[in-house]
Amino acid sequence: MKTYLRILAYARPLRRYLPQYILFSLLGIIFGLINFTLLKPLFDVLFGQVKEADIAQYRQMPDFGLSIDYFTHLFNHYFLQITETHGKVGSLFFVCLVIVVSVFLSNLFVYLSSITLAEIRAKVIRSLRMDIFGKVSDLHLGFFSDERKGDLMSRITNDVQEVENSIVSSLKVVFKEPATIIIYFIALFTMSFKLTLFTLILLPISGTIISEITKRLKKKARQSQESLGRIVNILDETLSGMRVIKAFNARPYVVDKFDQEVNRYANINVSMAHKNELASPLSQFMGVSVVAGILLYGGTMVLNNNSALDASEFFVYIVIFSQILNPAKAISSAFSTIQRGLASGERIFSVIDTKPAIADKADAKAMTTFNESITFKNVQFKYQDETVLKDINLTIPKGKTVALVGPSGGGKSTLADLVPRFYDPAEGEVLLDGVSLQDYTTASIRSKMGIVTQESILFNDTIFNNIAFGIPDASAENVEQAARIANAHDFIIESPQGYQTEIGDRGSRLSGGQRQRLSIARAVLKNPDILILDEATSALDSESERLVQDALNKLMQNRTSLVIAHRLSTIQHADMIVVLKHGEIVETGSHTELLQLNGLYKKLNTMQTL
Ligand code: ADP
């Protein structure tokens, strides 16, 4: 119930739509009802059943009042006049005309209420989708381990879709269908109190049976959405890893994995459908059974002249009652849709409710200038339970280049990730100019930093926009200048549309070295005080490595840099080299000092020169 109200709450800025929707729906229902009540005078004319007493009564104009009686009386008054002046055929014409007008109006209002609902739905879904996307993009980096990606994508697409479907049916069920049932029942009660009482006793029995079925649906719905999430996941991995899959002849493996998940999904859905699809035929069957019961009970009453209804009224009564079956059916089948929507809603809200682990303090201040140093003070870090960094103490003075080297898995990337505050240390602190990172706003510290990683992250956009990423007002001159410094200008102007060339999904139309030089151009344009280079050249061949390394050297001039390097030759001239092993700093010094030390660095160096 809480989830349901929360989804509806997304309609809150749309209050103005609601009265409009309610008005149109009510008018649609009322004109629909009028159509059926007009059947009575129609039959009366056709079968010549008008009573003398009624005629005398209808000759007078009724006193005005907002009641069904007033309107029936009014209709009958004019109807009588027309019968008397134009004869039976004339009155038949009159009734048919009124029916046509009223059918037109009822359908017009049904249409208007439906499009109002469509607008509400579109806006609710838009807000919900923006909310979850905004939330996801604000979450800390640690949230996005790979296995979650497909699941997250599924939540943002499929689950929101599911909620969309459930909201439509639910708004109808919450308002329109019950209103239809109530208004129709009022009409039935005014026609025959006793008969309607009888039908009311029969209805709850069928209602109970249907609600029993739908109760079991929600669990299945959740399983189904989770399975869909895993399918998207496999899809994502397969599409991005196609090269490896082909190289390792691993197609049977992924196909089999996909097959298993798709099978599971199919099974869950079949089992869900068994219950889901039962609701509608079952309610139809029970509805018609109720009608049969009324026919039997009411028909006997009419036949014995034991009722307020005459034959034509009884007929109209049955017709109106049968109209209640449709909204009743809609309500019962909507229950199952709502269960599915709620399961999805909960999956969406669990993401929206995730608190970002990295958030600004209330009194965080903006970092304006970087003047002295980056300092690690007794820093300890763990991802889950395993300690990855132990008691790190390190100072990177402004303007210096510090290189991190060591065996892989030693914690180099993790240490670098602490500087832009992608993670917070478990113990100790990272300081900028002596102030803890946590006392600054994250946006202000990140605006001082440029990051180039091994895997250049580019977006499906033009070269220009990829360089100007995050700098909306970048000028063409500045972008070009950055590209020149990054050794990228030449290949860019050789591309079909120059700076406006689209580079494809994740830059797939570029070579590795070109992608990397675009990443560097991006960092040059940002002109950061602090640079973090994480194995920026290790994925490249030596020709592009030379170009990239040259670009990096230009980028690093007059900046404070933290460089993670696999190839030690690239960092020989660093001001300080830090050797990290198993999360601990084991050696520090310049290249020559470390070689003299004859320790791990020397060993790594010898291995590489061999
Ligand atoms: P390096 O950069 O020196 O190769 P990393 O900092 O990448 O080392 O990794 C250090 C350790 O932390 C490794 O044991 C690695 O398995 C672990 N690790 C890295 N990233 C994560 C993560 N997102 N979740 C859990 N463990 C991680």
Side-chain angles (χ1 to χ4, degrees):
M1 193 62 195
K2 236 169 75 192
T3 313
Y4 182 74
L5 288 179
R6 208 171 148 190
I7 294 171
L8 281 191
Y10 277 83
R12 202 172 277 151
L14 306 147
R15 261 199 195 136
R16 63 192 183 93
Y17 284 108
L18 224 50
Q20 183 182 328
Y21 172 67
I22 291 175
L23 180 73
F24 289 149
S25 302
L26 281 180
L27 286 173
I29 296 168
I30 289 169
F31 280 105
L33 185 61
I34 287 176
N35 292 335
F36 295 114
T37 52
L38 285 177
L39 291 175
K40 158 137 175 78
L42 191 69
F43 290 137
D44 285 346
V45 172
L46 287 177
F47 302 130
Q49 277 200 347
V50 189
K51 290 180 197 141
E52 284 303 321
D54 289 346
I55 292 178
Q57 187 198 341
Y58 292 143
R59 204 151 267 141
Q60 277 129 31
M61 230 358 218
D63 297 328
F64 179 76
L66 272 180
S67 67
I68 298 178
D69 272 349
Y70 169 74
F71 287 105
T72 23
H73 196 136
L74 193 69
F75 174 81
N76 285 327
H77 176 73
Y78 288 112
F79 185 57
L80 185 67
Q81 279 185 358
I82 290 173
T83 318
E84 286 179 343
T85 46
H86 298 283
K88 280 196 171 182
V89 177
S91 57
L92 192 61
F93 183 77
F94 175 69
V95 174
C96 291
L97 187 73
V98 177
I99 288 182
V100 169
V101 171
S102 141
V103 166
F104 174 77
L105 288 176
S106 85
N107 282 294
L108 177 72
F109 287 119
V110 167
Y111 170 70
L112 288 176
S113 77
S114 299
I115 56 173
T116 311
L117 191 60
E119 277 179 53
I120 295 181
R121 173 176 55 152
K123 300 215 167 162
V124 167
I125 291 310
R126 185 196 154 279
S127 319
L128 192 61
R129 206 163 252 153
M130 274 320 290
D131 200 18
I132 184 170
F133 185 78
K135 189 64 199 210
V136 164
S137 54
D138 190 38
L139 280 171
H140 52 281
L141 218 52
F143 185 80
F144 303 93
S145 62
D146 266 344
E147 73 235 82
R148 268 185 171 157
K149 216 162 81 186
D151 185 53
L152 268 177
M153 293 202 302
S154 180
R155 285 178 204 229
I156 298 174
T157 54
N158 300 322
D159 285 299
V160 173
Q161 194 66 48
E162 204 57 70
V163 166
E164 172 164 13
N165 297 340
S166 84
I167 281 188
V168 194
S169 44
S170 87
L171 267 188
K172 265 197 178 161
V173 169
V174 166
F175 177 71
K176 192 167 164 205
E177 311 298 12
T180 310
I181 294 181
I182 290 170
I183 291 175
Y184 276 40
F185 259 111
I186 291 173
L188 291 181
F189 266 117
T190 50
M191 290 175 78
S192 169
F193 191 79
K194 205 162 137 198
L195 198 54
T196 313
L197 214 55
F198 171 74
T199 64
L200 276 187
I201 297 164
L202 289 181
L203 276 182
I205 303 172
S206 44
T208 323
I209 298 177
I210 289 166
S211 78
E212 266 308 304
I213 304 172
T214 53
K215 259 186 207 161
R216 303 193 181 130
L217 272 167
K218 194 164 157 193
K219 193 170 135 227
K220 285 276 169 216
R222 191 174 318 118
Q223 289 173 350
S224 159
Q225 289 301 83
E226 280 164 5
S227 171
L228 201 56
R230 286 191 294 269
I231 290 177
V232 177
N233 214 2
I234 299 173
L235 208 58
D236 179 53
E237 276 178 358
T238 309
L239 295 181
S240 30
M242 206 47 112
R243 184 182 295 266
V244 178
I245 292 170
K246 289 199 188 300
F248 284 84
N249 285 330
R251 193 172 155 268
Y253 167 76
V254 281
V255 170
D256 184 52
K257 206 165 138 190
F258 196 71
D259 185 45
Q260 279 179 18
E261 197 56 55
V262 171
N263 249 329
R264 186 172 320 150
Y265 183 65
N267 288 339
I268 296 172
N269 278 2
V270 168
S271 137
M272 204 154 73
H274 279 293
K275 302 183 178 71
N276 205 358
E277 300 303 329
L278 198 57
S280 171
L282 201 66
S283 60
Q284 172 116 8
F285 171 73
M286 284 186 296
V288 174
S289 304
V290 173
V291 171
I294 298 171
L295 266 178
L296 195 66
Y297 180 72
T300 322
M301 272 167 40
V302 173
L303 287 179
N304 295 338
N305 277 335
N306 192 6
S307 138
L309 297 176
D310 58 30
S312 62
E313 274 171 338
F314 181 59
F315 188 79
V316 173
Y317 184 94
I318 294 287
V319 171
I320 294 182
F321 183 82
S322 67
Q323 294 306 305
I324 291 180
L325 295 182
N326 276 337
K329 224 170 78 185
I331 292 178
S332 64
S333 67
F335 266 120
S336 62
T337 324
I338 288 183
Q339 292 306 320
R340 285 214 309 271
L342 285 184
S344 287
E346 279 165 16
R347 277 164 54 82
I348 293 171
F349 289 136
S350 86
V351 175
I352 290 182
D353 292 340
T354 307
K355 293 247 175 306
I358 307 287
D360 286 349
K361 283 186 189 169
D363 58 350
K365 54 183 182 196
M367 185 191 178
T368 45
T369 50
F370 172 60
N371 300 317
E372 296 157 26
S373 63
I374 307 166
T375 312
F376 286 75
K377 205 166 113 190
N378 305 328
V379 167
Q380 223 198 70
F381 182 83
K382 45 179 92 170
Y383 282 106
Q384 277 89 34
D385 301 327
E386 178 204 359
T387 304
V388 175
L389 294 176
K390 297 167 208 158
D391 203 29
I392 301 289
N393 284 290
L394 175 68
T395 297
I396 307 172
K398 183 177 174 171
K400 302 286 181 197
T401 296
V402 171
L404 291 177
V405 302
S408 94
K412 303 181 292 292
S413 301
T414 306
L415 195 147
D417 277 348
L418 296 182
V419 179
R421 205 181 162 203
F422 288 152
Y423 300 96
D424 280 334
E427 276 166 43
E429 47 188 358
V430 181
L431 311 152
L432 278 183
D433 291 350
V435 178
S436 165
L437 285 184
Q438 302 186 17
D439 293 330
Y440 291 119
T441 59
T442 3
S444 73
I445 53 176
R446 288 180 192 163
S447 74
K448 297 267 172 291
M449 298 178 191
I451 300 172
V452 181
T453 55
Q454 174 175 6
E455 216 186 308
S456 42
I457 308 295
L458 300 176
F459 297 89
N460 192 354
D461 204 335
T462 59
I463 289 180
F464 185 95
N465 287 340
N466 267 289
I467 296 178
F469 192 69
I471 306 177
D473 53 356
S475 70
E477 294 79 45
N478 291 346
V479 168
E480 190 181 315
Q481 197 189 6
R484 279 182 197 278
I485 295 175
N487 294 339
H489 179 72
D490 290 346
F491 88 79
I492 294 174
I493 50 169
E494 281 166 19
S495 309
Q497 273 95 42
Y499 280 83
Q500 297 307 320
T501 309
E502 297 275 344
I503 59 169
D505 199 13
R506 296 175 209 197
S508 56
R509 283 181 218 140
L510 300 173
S511 76
Q514 290 173 331
R515 284 204 291 269
Q516 205 57 321
R517 279 175 278 156
L518 285 192
S519 302
I520 295 169
R522 181 190 284 164
V524 173
L525 184 69
K526 191 178 178 189
N527 192 19
D529 292 317
I530 298 164
L531 259 186
I532 297 165
L533 308 179
D534 189 348
E535 311 237 24
T537 58
S538 31
L540 306 173
D541 57 80
S542 20
E543 169 57 16
S544 31
E545 184 184 347
R546 197 184 53 74
L547 278 171
V548 172
Q549 190 59 51
D550 180 62
L552 284 173
N553 290 342
K554 287 190 261 174
L555 173 64
M556 281 156 66
Q557 271 166 24
N558 307 320
R559 293 184 219 272
T560 312
S561 312
L562 183 62
V563 183
I564 298 176
H566 178 65
R567 258 171 254 180
L568 301 182
S569 56
T570 57
I571 45 93
Q572 280 180 7
H573 304 291
D575 298 297
M576 178 166 67
I577 298 169
V578 176
V579 187
L580 210 59
K581 186 186 171 191
H582 298 318
E584 282 174 296
I585 297 179
V586 290
E587 291 166 18
T588 44
S590 68
H591 176 69
T592 10
E593 284 167 357
L594 288 178
L595 284 184
Q596 279 165 3
L597 209 63
N598 212 1
L600 183 55
Y601 182 81
K602 172 82 187 283
K603 213 167 109 194
L604 292 171
N605 197 52
T606 319
M607 263 159 52
Q608 288 194 1
T609 36
L610 282 175

